[in-house]
Coordinates of all heavy atoms in Angstrom, one line a residue:
N514 N 6.4 -21.4 3.6 CA 6.6 -22.3 2.5 C 6.1 -21.7 1.2 O 6.7 -21.8 0.2 CB 5.9 -23.6 2.8 CG 5.9 -24.6 1.7 OD1 4.9 -24.7 1.0 ND2 7.1 -25.2 1.4
L515 N 4.9 -21.1 1.3 CA 4.4 -20.5 0.1 C 5.2 -19.3 -0.4 O 5.5 -19.3 -1.6 CB 3.0 -19.9 0.3 CG 2.2 -19.1 -0.7 CD1 2.0 -20.0 -2.0 CD2 1.0 -18.6 -0.2
M516 N 5.7 -18.5 0.5 CA 6.4 -17.2 0.1 C 7.8 -17.6 -0.3 O 8.4 -16.8 -1.2 CB 6.4 -16.3 1.2 CG 5.0 -16.0 1.8 SD 3.9 -15.2 0.6 CE 4.7 -13.6 0.3
N517 N 8.4 -18.7 0.2 CA 9.9 -18.8 0.1 C 10.2 -19.9 -0.9 O 11.3 -20.0 -1.4 CB 10.6 -19.1 1.4 CG 10.5 -17.7 2.3 OD1 10.4 -16.7 1.9 ND2 10.5 -18.0 3.6
E518 N 9.4 -20.9 -1.1 CA 9.6 -22.2 -1.7 C 8.8 -22.4 -3.0 O 9.0 -23.5 -3.6 CB 9.6 -23.3 -0.8 CG 10.4 -23.2 0.4 CD 10.4 -24.4 1.4 OE1 9.8 -25.4 1.0 OE2 10.9 -24.3 2.5
V519 N 7.9 -21.5 -3.3 CA 7.1 -21.8 -4.5 C 7.5 -20.7 -5.5 O 7.1 -19.5 -5.4 CB 5.6 -21.7 -4.2 CG1 4.7 -21.9 -5.4 CG2 5.3 -22.6 -3.1
P520 N 8.3 -21.0 -6.5 CA 8.8 -20.0 -7.5 C 7.8 -19.7 -8.6 O 6.8 -20.4 -8.8 CB 9.9 -20.8 -8.2 CG 9.6 -22.2 -8.1 CD 8.8 -22.4 -6.9
M521 N 8.0 -18.5 -9.2 CA 7.2 -18.1 -10.4 C 7.4 -19.1 -11.5 O 8.6 -19.2 -11.9 CB 7.6 -16.7 -10.7 CG 6.8 -16.1 -11.9 SD 5.0 -15.9 -11.5 CE 5.1 -14.6 -10.3
P522 N 6.4 -19.6 -12.2 CA 6.7 -20.4 -13.3 C 7.1 -19.6 -14.6 O 6.6 -18.6 -14.7 CB 5.3 -21.1 -13.6 CG 4.3 -20.1 -13.1 CD 5.0 -19.4 -11.9
P523 N 8.2 -20.2 -15.3 CA 8.6 -19.5 -16.5 C 7.4 -19.4 -17.5 O 6.6 -20.2 -17.5 CB 9.7 -20.3 -17.0 CG 10.1 -21.1 -15.8 CD 9.0 -21.4 -15.0
S524 N 7.5 -18.4 -18.3 CA 6.4 -18.1 -19.3 C 6.5 -19.3 -20.4 O 7.4 -19.4 -21.1 CB 6.6 -16.8 -20.0 OG 6.5 -15.8 -19.1
G525 N 5.4 -20.1 -20.4 CA 5.2 -21.2 -21.3 C 6.1 -22.3 -21.3 O 6.1 -23.1 -22.2
K526 N 6.9 -22.3 -20.3 CA 8.0 -23.5 -20.2 C 7.7 -24.5 -19.3 O 8.0 -25.7 -19.5 CB 9.3 -22.9 -19.9 CG 9.9 -21.9 -20.9 CD 11.3 -21.4 -20.5 CE 11.8 -20.4 -21.5 NZ 13.0 -19.9 -21.2
A527 N 7.1 -24.2 -18.2 CA 6.8 -25.2 -17.1 C 5.7 -24.8 -16.2 O 5.3 -23.7 -16.2 CB 8.1 -25.4 -16.1
K528 N 5.1 -25.8 -15.5 CA 4.1 -25.6 -14.6 C 4.6 -25.9 -13.3 O 5.2 -26.9 -13.0 CB 2.8 -26.5 -15.0 CG 2.2 -26.1 -16.4 CD 1.0 -27.1 -16.7 CE 0.5 -26.8 -18.1 NZ -0.7 -27.7 -18.4
I529 N 4.1 -25.2 -12.3 CA 4.5 -25.4 -10.9 C 3.4 -26.1 -10.1 O 2.3 -25.5 -10.1 CB 5.0 -24.1 -10.2 CG1 6.2 -23.4 -11.0 CG2 5.4 -24.3 -8.7 CD1 7.4 -24.2 -11.1
L530 N 3.6 -27.2 -9.5 CA 2.7 -27.9 -8.7 C 2.9 -27.5 -7.2 O 4.0 -27.6 -6.7 CB 2.8 -29.3 -9.0 CG 1.9 -30.3 -8.0 CD1 0.4 -30.0 -8.4 CD2 2.3 -31.7 -8.3
Y531 N 1.9 -27.1 -6.6 CA 1.8 -26.7 -5.2 C 0.8 -27.4 -4.5 O -0.5 -27.4 -4.9 CB 1.8 -25.2 -5.0 CG 1.7 -24.7 -3.6 CD1 2.7 -24.9 -2.8 CD2 0.5 -24.1 -3.2 CE1 2.6 -24.4 -1.5 CE2 0.4 -23.6 -1.9 CZ 1.4 -23.8 -1.0 OH 1.3 -23.4 0.3
S532 N 1.0 -28.0 -3.4 CA -0.1 -28.7 -2.5 C -0.1 -27.9 -1.1 O 0.8 -27.5 -0.5 CB 0.3 -30.1 -2.2 OG 0.6 -30.8 -3.5
I533 N -1.5 -27.8 -0.7 CA -1.8 -27.2 0.6 C -3.0 -27.8 1.1 O -4.0 -27.9 0.3 CB -1.9 -25.7 0.5 CG1 -2.2 -25.1 2.0 CG2 -2.8 -25.2 -0.5 CD1 -2.1 -23.6 2.0
A534 N -3.0 -28.4 2.3 CA -4.2 -29.1 2.8 C -4.5 -30.2 1.8 O -3.7 -31.0 1.6 CB -5.4 -28.1 3.0
D535 N -5.7 -30.2 1.4 CA -6.2 -31.3 0.5 C -6.3 -30.9 -0.9 O -6.8 -31.5 -1.7 CB -7.6 -31.7 1.0 CG -8.6 -30.7 1.0 OD1 -8.2 -29.4 1.0 OD2 -9.8 -31.0 1.0
K536 N -5.6 -29.7 -1.3 CA -5.7 -29.2 -2.6 C -4.3 -29.3 -3.3 O -3.3 -29.1 -2.6 CB -6.2 -27.7 -2.6 CG -7.6 -27.6 -2.2 CD -8.1 -26.1 -2.2 CE -9.5 -26.0 -1.8 NZ -10.4 -26.7 -2.7
E537 N -4.3 -29.7 -4.6 CA -3.1 -29.5 -5.4 C -3.4 -28.5 -6.5 O -4.3 -28.6 -7.3 CB -2.9 -30.9 -6.1 CG -2.3 -31.9 -5.0 CD -1.7 -33.1 -5.8 OE1 -1.9 -33.2 -7.0 OE2 -1.1 -33.9 -5.0
L538 N -2.5 -27.4 -6.5 CA -2.7 -26.3 -7.4 C -1.6 -26.3 -8.4 O -0.5 -26.6 -8.1 CB -2.7 -25.0 -6.6 CG -3.7 -24.9 -5.4 CD1 -3.6 -23.7 -4.7 CD2 -5.2 -25.1 -5.9
I539 N -2.0 -25.7 -9.6 CA -0.9 -25.6 -10.6 C -0.8 -24.2 -11.0 O -1.8 -23.6 -11.5 CB -1.4 -26.6 -11.9 CG1 -1.4 -28.0 -11.6 CG2 -0.5 -26.3 -13.0 CD1 -1.9 -28.9 -12.7
F540 N 0.4 -23.7 -11.0 CA 0.6 -22.3 -11.4 C 1.3 -22.4 -12.8 O 2.3 -23.1 -13.0 CB 1.6 -21.6 -10.5 CG 1.0 -21.3 -9.2 CD1 1.1 -22.1 -8.1 CD2 0.3 -20.2 -9.0 CE1 0.6 -22.0 -6.9 CE2 -0.2 -19.8 -7.8 CZ -0.2 -20.8 -6.7
T541 N 0.8 -21.6 -13.7 CA 1.2 -21.6 -15.1 C 1.1 -20.2 -15.7 O 0.3 -19.5 -15.3 CB 0.6 -22.6 -16.0 OG1 1.2 -22.6 -17.3 CG2 -0.9 -22.3 -16.1
R542 N 2.0 -19.8 -16.6 CA 1.9 -18.5 -17.4 C 2.0 -18.8 -18.8 O 2.7 -19.6 -19.4 CB 3.2 -17.7 -16.9 CG 3.0 -17.1 -15.5 CD 3.9 -15.9 -15.3 NE 5.3 -16.2 -15.4 CZ 6.3 -15.4 -15.6 NH1 6.0 -14.1 -15.9 NH2 7.5 -15.8 -15.7
P543 N 1.2 -18.1 -19.6 CA 1.2 -18.2 -21.1 C 2.5 -17.8 -21.6 O 3.2 -17.0 -21.0 CB 0.0 -17.4 -21.5 CG -0.1 -16.3 -20.4 CD 0.3 -17.0 -19.2
P544 N 2.8 -18.2 -22.9 CA 4.0 -17.7 -23.5 C 3.9 -16.1 -23.8 O 2.8 -15.6 -23.9 CB 4.0 -18.4 -24.9 CG 3.1 -19.6 -24.7 CD 2.2 -19.3 -23.7
I545 N 5.1 -15.4 -23.8 CA 5.1 -14.0 -23.9 C 4.5 -13.6 -25.1 O 3.7 -12.5 -25.2 CB 6.6 -13.5 -23.8 CG1 7.2 -13.9 -22.5 CG2 6.6 -12.0 -24.0 CD1 8.6 -13.5 -22.3
N546 N 4.6 -14.3 -26.3 CA 4.0 -13.9 -27.5 C 2.6 -14.4 -27.8 O 2.0 -14.0 -28.7 CB 4.8 -14.4 -28.7 CG 4.9 -16.0 -28.8 OD1 4.6 -16.5 -27.6 ND2 5.2 -16.6 -29.8
R547 N 2.0 -15.0 -26.7 CA 0.5 -15.5 -26.8 C -0.1 -15.3 -25.4 O -0.5 -16.3 -24.8 CB 0.5 -16.9 -27.3 CG 0.9 -17.1 -28.7 CD 0.5 -18.4 -29.3 NE 1.0 -19.5 -28.5 CZ 2.1 -20.1 -28.6 NH1 3.0 -19.7 -29.6 NH2 2.6 -21.1 -27.9
P548 N -0.2 -14.1 -24.9 CA -0.8 -13.9 -23.6 C -2.3 -14.3 -23.5 O -2.8 -14.5 -22.5 CB -0.6 -12.4 -23.3 CG -0.4 -11.8 -24.6 CD 0.2 -12.8 -25.5
I549 N -2.9 -14.4 -24.7 CA -4.3 -14.7 -24.8 C -4.5 -16.1 -24.3 O -5.7 -16.6 -24.0 CB -4.8 -14.5 -26.2 CG1 -6.4 -14.5 -26.2 CG2 -4.3 -15.6 -27.2 CD1 -7.1 -13.4 -25.4
E550 N -3.5 -17.0 -24.2 CA -3.6 -18.3 -23.8 C -3.7 -18.5 -22.3 O -3.6 -19.6 -21.8 CB -2.5 -19.1 -24.3 CG -2.4 -19.3 -25.8 CD -1.3 -20.2 -26.4 OE1 -0.6 -20.8 -25.5 OE2 -1.1 -20.2 -27.6
N551 N -3.9 -17.5 -21.6 CA -4.0 -17.6 -20.2 C -5.3 -18.3 -19.8 O -6.4 -17.7 -19.7 CB -4.0 -16.2 -19.5 CG -3.9 -16.2 -18.0 OD1 -4.0 -17.3 -17.4 ND2 -3.5 -15.1 -17.4
V552 N -5.2 -19.7 -19.6 CA -6.5 -20.4 -19.3 C -6.9 -20.2 -17.9 O -8.0 -20.7 -17.5 CB -6.2 -21.9 -19.6 CG1 -5.8 -22.1 -21.0 CG2 -4.9 -22.3 -18.7
D553 N -6.2 -19.5 -17.0 CA -6.6 -19.3 -15.7 C -7.7 -18.3 -15.4 O -8.4 -18.2 -14.4 CB -5.4 -19.0 -14.7 CG -4.5 -20.2 -14.6 OD1 -5.0 -21.4 -14.7 OD2 -3.3 -20.0 -14.4
L554 N -7.8 -17.4 -16.4 CA -8.8 -16.4 -16.4 C -10.2 -17.0 -16.6 O -10.4 -17.7 -17.5 CB -8.5 -15.2 -17.4 CG -7.3 -14.4 -17.2 CD1 -7.2 -13.3 -18.3 CD2 -7.5 -13.7 -15.7
P555 N -11.2 -16.4 -15.8 CA -12.6 -17.1 -16.0 C -13.4 -16.5 -17.2 O -14.3 -15.7 -17.0 CB -13.2 -16.7 -14.6 CG -12.5 -15.4 -14.2 CD -11.1 -15.5 -14.8
F556 N -13.0 -16.8 -18.4 CA -13.6 -16.2 -19.5 C -15.1 -16.7 -19.6 O -16.0 -15.9 -19.9 CB -12.9 -16.7 -20.8 CG -11.6 -16.0 -21.1 CD1 -10.4 -16.7 -20.7 CD2 -11.5 -14.8 -21.6 CE1 -9.2 -16.1 -21.0 CE2 -10.3 -14.2 -21.8 CZ -9.2 -14.8 -21.4

Side-chain angles (χ1 to χ4, degrees):
N514 172 259
L515 172 66
M516 308 296 296
N517 299 330
E518 300 182 14
V519 184
M521 178 70 68
S524 297
K526 294 182 180 180
K528 299 178 181 180
I529 302 299
L530 176 64
Y531 172 68
S532 299
I533 180 172
D535 58 344
K536 294 183 179 295
E537 287 193 351
L538 309 176
I539 296 178
F540 291 90
T541 180
R542 287 197 294 162
I545 298 178
N546 59 339
R547 293 195 302 274
I549 194 64
E550 293 184 6
N551 190 348
V552 295
D553 291 331
L554 291 178
F556 288 99

